[in-house]
Each structure stands twice: as C-alpha cells, then as structure tokens.
C-alpha cells in the first residue's frame, strides 16, 4: 500500500507583551475583573480613532529578525470584516496586504523514535508575521442560556506568525511551536503562556498520495496546549486517511479539538468562502520603519523604529544558548534541550555548578534524574522547588569531598524535600550518614562488631 503524505501548516497567534493595547491606552492584565480595561476605542464608540503602540511594533520587528524574516520598511493596515459578539467594531484591524515581516524560517528539533539521544533538526518556512488586534472573550453561561462578553482582551496586540505547510505530524507541529514559544519568551516579545491564552494555534491539515496535489485541508482552531496540538494534528491526519480510504470526501471546514474526547469535531464549513471584505484601514497611515542607512539625519530617533538598532539588542536565541551550554559544560546536546525546556532550570543548573566543585557532567545527572523527577511528580515548577540551588550545591559538595556516600546523599535529598530548613550537613549528622575517614575509628568499630558476635566468627573460621 502507498502511504499517505500528511501536510501540516500552522498559524500561531502570540499576544504581545506590552503595558497597553495595540491601538488604545487601555492596560493589559490577564486576570482583571471583566470589562474593567476597556477604552472608548476598544468598545468601538463612534468617533474614536486608533493610535499605534510603538512597543508592539518593536516586538514584531524583533520577532521577525529572530525568525530570519525580511522586515518591511513599509507595511499597511487593513480592516477584516466579520461579525462576532466579542468584536465590537464588526471588523478587525490586521495586515493582510503588506505585513510587517515576511519570508523567514524557524529551525526546531524532534526526537527519532522518542529517543532523546537521537535528535534531528528540521526547518519550517515562515510566510509572514502580521500585527493585529485580539478580540474580546465570550463567556457562555449554560445554566441561564446566555452569553456574556468581556472586552478586556479586545484590542490587545497580537503577532500572527504564519508557517508554511512544511510539517507532517503532531510531534513536528508541537516541537516547532515549542521552539517559537522559547524564542518569544527569550526576546520578551510575548510571555507566550498557553494556559492564559497568550499563545493560540490554528492547525491546517491535509493528506495526499505522493506526487499528487495537496488534498482538501481542514483547520483546527484555537488549540491552547502543545500536548493538545500534537494530539489534534495526529487525530485529524488519521481521520482524513480513514475517511478517504472508506470512499468518503474531506470537507473544507473549521474544526475544534475536544480534549476530553481526544478528537476533532466540526464547527463550521468553509465551502461558501467567507468574504471578509478586506479594505485599507482609513485611520492609520502606512507604517514606516528605518534602518541605519535610510534614517534621515534630522529625524528624532525617539520617534522612529530603527530596525538595525533592534537587531543589535537581540539576545542569544535558544539554539545559541544550547550550543553554549554543551561547549561550556561538556554536557550532552539532549540535556541542553531539557535545561532550556523547563523554565528556570538553566539558571538553577548554572548556580549549582558555580557553587560546587563537582563536575558539570555529574551535576546534570542529579538535576535531571533527581530534582526534575521530584518536581514533575509533585507538579511543581523549578521556581517552586523546596530545594534551592544553594542547598543542592551544598549536598553535592559533601558528596564530592567524600563526607557522605552517593546512597546517603539521596537519603539527605529526600529529607531536604521536606523543606524543614535544615542544611545537608545537619541532616547527615542527625541521621549518622557521614563517612568515617579515620582508619583507627573504623578498626575499632569492626573489632566491636566481631567481639559482639563470637559464635558467628568461630563458625566462619571453621568453615
């Protein structure tokens, strides 16, 4: 049988880390009381006008540079018309014709056969990054059969990162989004916390036979976790294959992922293509950016966005950080992925290494095998660990100086998890776990054991 070829493309909506919204001065705060952060413009009162947020523009430029995009010195804003109760104006301001950044790429890594020791690097092309407004949030009250609208999120700045259909499974999709999430968090352009809706993914999925045109695609909307993304994509691929092999057809439709049932379900069809009636946004001029060459001499630097200036401020990206960890500490490449994937774990590791004489290769074992497994078992983050980097370094120093054995060290660590404020040395002394270095003392202990068991000793001698 000829295997089907799955094709996956993603649209990722990242909420920009900014104190205020994209076109208004309203504050941005995730857990604020409903409708407490809404300006007249956010509520679309007549006569209100958009004012572009410089911070959002800089965040988009920085993200574009990090994703190897060409940043357009001139980009345009458009109105995309559609009706939802949580979109007060009846249109969204976006960048349909000329977005802020185009033609980039994102490298990400996946494991072969779930083996961390076999990692391959893949690349997905970035079609574009566009600035746009977020919508409000509809809150459905089933008991009263009514829907309430919270406009706190309406107008919050989004970057939509459109990825080309270069992926073929859920694992690749999740790995690409995870790498993008790390990049956004490193740049500070988005906090990208999926649980708070700061990163939402739409997945476009189709299947076809090798050499044939792409099949009809479906879109799975608003996926809010990496695990659900992988499951949704893989389920949708399998569903389409089974449908086609049973003689059915794939509808060009929008679907949602039901995480409880583990399947995608139809939301609405796209057969009658929706006309968004795109038009240029009349209240916003073209967005003009400069680089060092094009910046006019008499221009106030505070009033323009300089692409080269932002490029100079780019921090080390995750791929560079991983390479530095491997080179500096001699750890395995797969361990560098784990360090970066867990928020705060790299800093924890480096703090321990700097405070103990133990070699980094041995430290990493304790961190990944003991610290991380305990934290995951108790659903704790690195920052919530009851054992600080200082305490773990203290414990590993005792082990390195041969004051305690490896087995004893694990017993001491088990006590440290209780968070009772004792030092590793306190616990070792209290539990009598210290190794005895004095040979005379050891001989005396051995002699005492022999003296107390004369019958057993005689039997051994006779045998």
């Amino acid at each position: 049988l000829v295997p089907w070829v799955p094709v996956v493309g993603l649209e990722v909506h990242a909420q920009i880390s900014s104190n205020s919204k994209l076109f208004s001065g309203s504050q941005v705060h995730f857990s604020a009381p409903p409708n407490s952060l809404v300006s007249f413009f956010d509520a679309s009162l007549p006569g209100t006008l958009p004012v572009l947020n410089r911070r959002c523009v800089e965040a988009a430029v920085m993200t574009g540079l990090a994703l190897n995009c060409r940043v357009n010195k001139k980009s345009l804003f458009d109105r995309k018309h559609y009706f939802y109760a949580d979109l007060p104006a009846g249109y969204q301001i976006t960048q349909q014709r000329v977005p802020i950044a185009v033609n980039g790429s994102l490298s990400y890594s996946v494991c072969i056969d779930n083996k961390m020791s076999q990692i391959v690097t893949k690349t997905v092309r970035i079609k574009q990054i566009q600035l746009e407004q977020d919508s409000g949030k509809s809150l459905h009250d089933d008991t009263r059969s009514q829907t309430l609208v919270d406009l706190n999120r309406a107008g919050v700045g989004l970057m939509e990162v459109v990825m080309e259909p270069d992926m073929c499974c859920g694992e690749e999709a999740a790995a690409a989004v995870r790498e993008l999430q790390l990049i956004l968090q490193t740049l500070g352009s988005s906090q990208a916390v999926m649980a708070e809706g700061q990163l939402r993914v739409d997945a476009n999925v189709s299947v076809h036979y090798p050499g044939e045109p792409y099949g009809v695609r479906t879109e799975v909307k608003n996926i809010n976790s990496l695990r659900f993304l992988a499951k949704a994509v893989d389920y949708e691929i399998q569903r389409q294959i089974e449908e086609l092999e049973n003689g059915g057809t794939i509808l060009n439709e929008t679907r949602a992922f039901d995480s409880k049932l583990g399947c995608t379900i139809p939301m609405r069809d796209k057969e009658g293509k929706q006309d968004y009636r795109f038009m240029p946004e009349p209240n916003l001029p073209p967005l003009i950016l400069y680089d060092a060459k094009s910046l006019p001499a008499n221009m106030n630097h505070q009033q323009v966005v300089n692409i080269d200036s932002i490029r100079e401020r780019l921090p080390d990206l995750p791929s560079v950080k991983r390479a530095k960890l491997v080179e500096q500490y001699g750890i395995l490449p797969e361990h560098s992925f784990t360090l970066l994937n867990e928020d705060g774990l790299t800093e924890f590791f480096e703090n321990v290494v700097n405070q103990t004489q133990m070699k980094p290769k041995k430290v990493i074992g304790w961190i990944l095998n003991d610290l991380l497994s305990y934290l995951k078992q108790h659903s704790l983050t690195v920052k919530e660990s009851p054992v600080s980097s200082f305490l773990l370094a203290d414990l590993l120093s005792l082990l390195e100086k041969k004051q305690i054995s490896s087995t004893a060290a694990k017993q001491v660590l088990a006590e440290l998890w209780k968070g009772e404020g004792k030092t590793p040395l306190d616990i070792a002394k209290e539990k009598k776990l210290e190794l005895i270095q004095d040979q005379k003392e050891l001989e005396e202990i051995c002699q005492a054991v022999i003296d107390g068991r004369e019958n057993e000793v005689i039997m051994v001698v006779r045998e």
Side-chain angles (χ1 to χ4, degrees), residues 178-362:
R178 176 58 180 145
E179 188 69 10
L180 175 63
Q181 184 182 38
L182 282 173
I183 289 170
L184 295 172
Q185 289 168 343
T186 300
L187 298 174
S189 56
S190 173
Q191 291 174 28
V193 178
M194 297 190 86
E196 295 184 7
Q198 293 164 353
L199 198 71
R200 308 191 292 277
V201 185
D202 300 339
N204 294 295
V205 180
S206 70
V207 298
H208 66 277
Y209 276 129
E212 291 187 1
Y214 284 0
V216 175
R217 67 183 168 90
T218 59
E219 183 180 30
V220 187
K221 293 284 283 185
N222 286 330
I223 306 167
N224 61 359
S225 99
L226 295 174
R227 195 162 54 89
F228 293 164
L229 172 61
K231 285 185 173 181
V233 167
D234 287 340
Y235 175 87
E236 188 58 20
I237 289 168
Q238 203 53 44
R239 184 192 71 82
Q240 291 187 18
I241 290 171
E242 287 174 11
E243 183 74 33
L244 291 168
E245 287 184 345
N246 290 329
T249 55
I250 302 302
L251 299 177
N252 179 215
E253 62 184 351
T254 299
R255 300 175 72 88
F257 180 66
D258 187 319
S259 56
K260 288 176 185 167
L261 297 175
C263 65
T264 64
I265 50 175
M267 286 171 67
R268 55 184 181 271
D269 73 68
K270 293 187 174 185
E271 293 300 325
K273 187 165 171 56
Q274 189 167 355
D275 180 11
Y276 289 120
R277 291 183 295 117
F278 282 105
M279 61 171 274
E281 168 53 58
N283 295 322
L284 285 166
L287 172 57
I288 307 296
L289 307 177
Y290 297 89
D291 57 20
K293 287 181 184 174
S294 63
L295 189 64
N298 58 350
M299 184 76 75
N300 182 347
H301 288 231
Q302 300 301 314
Q303 293 181 334
V304 299
V305 173
N306 184 335
I307 299 166
D308 287 334
S309 171
I310 292 173
R311 185 182 276 108
E312 287 166 13
R313 300 204 308 268
L314 280 176
D316 281 349
L317 295 178
S319 55
V320 175
K321 284 184 182 177
R322 284 191 283 260
K324 284 186 174 177
L325 284 167
V326 170
E327 186 183 347
Q328 186 175 350
Y329 299 110
I331 61 175
L332 296 172
E334 55 265 32
H335 292 163
S336 70
F337 277 88
T338 311
L339 285 179
L340 254 72
N341 276 342
E342 300 293 330
D343 186 30
L345 194 60
T346 302
E347 293 77 10
F348 193 101
F349 166 71
E350 292 188 313
N351 286 342
V352 174
V353 169
N354 292 334
Q355 293 168 31
T356 180
Q357 274 72 53
M358 184 177 276
K359 288 185 178 175
K361 281 185 179 179
K362 286 170 76 177

